[in-house]
Amino acid sequence: MEYDLFDRDFYPTPKKVIDEMMSFSDVRGKVVLEPSAGSGNIVDWLKSNRAKCVIACEVNKKLASMLSSKCDIIADDFLSVTSDLISHINMIVMNPPFSADEKHILHAYEIAPGGCEIIALCNSNTLSKSSWNSKEREKLLELIRLYG
């Protein structure tokens, strides 16, 4: 699947936003997955804050090529990643594509190993979407209620 470099889901996460989303977590010495790494802003932040290892997924071939010098790319489409590929990680940090953020967040919870911390940005419209499966929405809302 080939995308324009600047398609509608390409939104580089500003450092200020990453600082805020990571303000309650410590990545030092952890193996971290960034499932939709884009141009690598979150990857860069994780590495500069001493993550032990950062692995990533990126569906856009041009962006994945740029990322390959920053971290290991384990798959193009995060939704194809299985739990056995990430059984060694400690944390998932993501700014998923807003067109499918609920799918990415739910998938992360489904495949994350026990004890794995998940930090995800979520478009507020996702929580009010009426166009997607109500069971998925209920599950996402329950996860947010339980874990923040």
Side-chain angles (χ1 to χ4, degrees):
M1 196 181 297
E2 185 68 32
Y3 293 94
D4 261 349
L5 183 58
F6 300 106
D7 69 15
R8 67 186 178 103
D9 278 329
F10 179 68
Y11 182 78
T13 313
K15 182 183 181 306
K16 183 176 179 179
V17 173
I18 303 168
D19 288 340
E20 187 171 335
M21 52 186 285
M22 299 305 296
S23 63
F24 296 101
S25 295
D26 184 2
V27 300
R28 285 179 290 181
K30 294 183 178 174
V31 178
V32 186
L33 168 64
E34 211 294 36
S36 304
S39 59
N41 290 5
I42 293 175
V43 170
D44 292 339
W45 190 98
L46 294 166
K47 291 175 70 176
S48 71
N49 284 274
R50 302 188 306 202
K52 177 181 179 180
C53 176
V54 180
I55 59 175
C57 301
E58 179 50 52
V59 70
N60 182 306
K61 289 179 178 28
K62 292 176 187 173
L63 292 172
S65 177
M66 292 172 19
L67 279 169
S68 65
S69 66
K70 297 180 179 194
C71 63
D72 289 333
I73 309 295
I74 63 165
D76 54 1
D77 183 3
F78 171 62
L79 298 176
S80 72
V81 173
T82 56
S83 58
D84 59 308
L85 287 175
I86 62 165
S87 62
H88 63 295
I89 68 167
N90 307 108
M91 183 181 277
I92 298 172
V93 179
M94 67 174 146
N95 177 4
F98 284 176
S99 67
D101 55 354
E102 72 280 355
K103 290 178 183 172
H104 285 246
I105 295 168
L106 290 172
H107 186 65
Y109 275 98
E110 289 169 5
I111 66 169
C116 181
E117 182 178 4
I118 300 172
I119 300 170
L121 289 179
C122 180
N123 184 338
S124 63
N125 289 332
T126 296
L127 304 178
S128 61
K129 279 184 187 176
S130 59
S131 62
W132 53 289
N133 180 314
S134 64
K135 287 188 180 199
E136 286 179 334
R137 181 175 178 212
E138 287 174 24
K139 185 174 181 182
L140 180 60
L141 291 171
E142 179 67 8
L143 288 172
I144 292 169
R145 186 185 70 71
L146 290 171
Y147 305 111

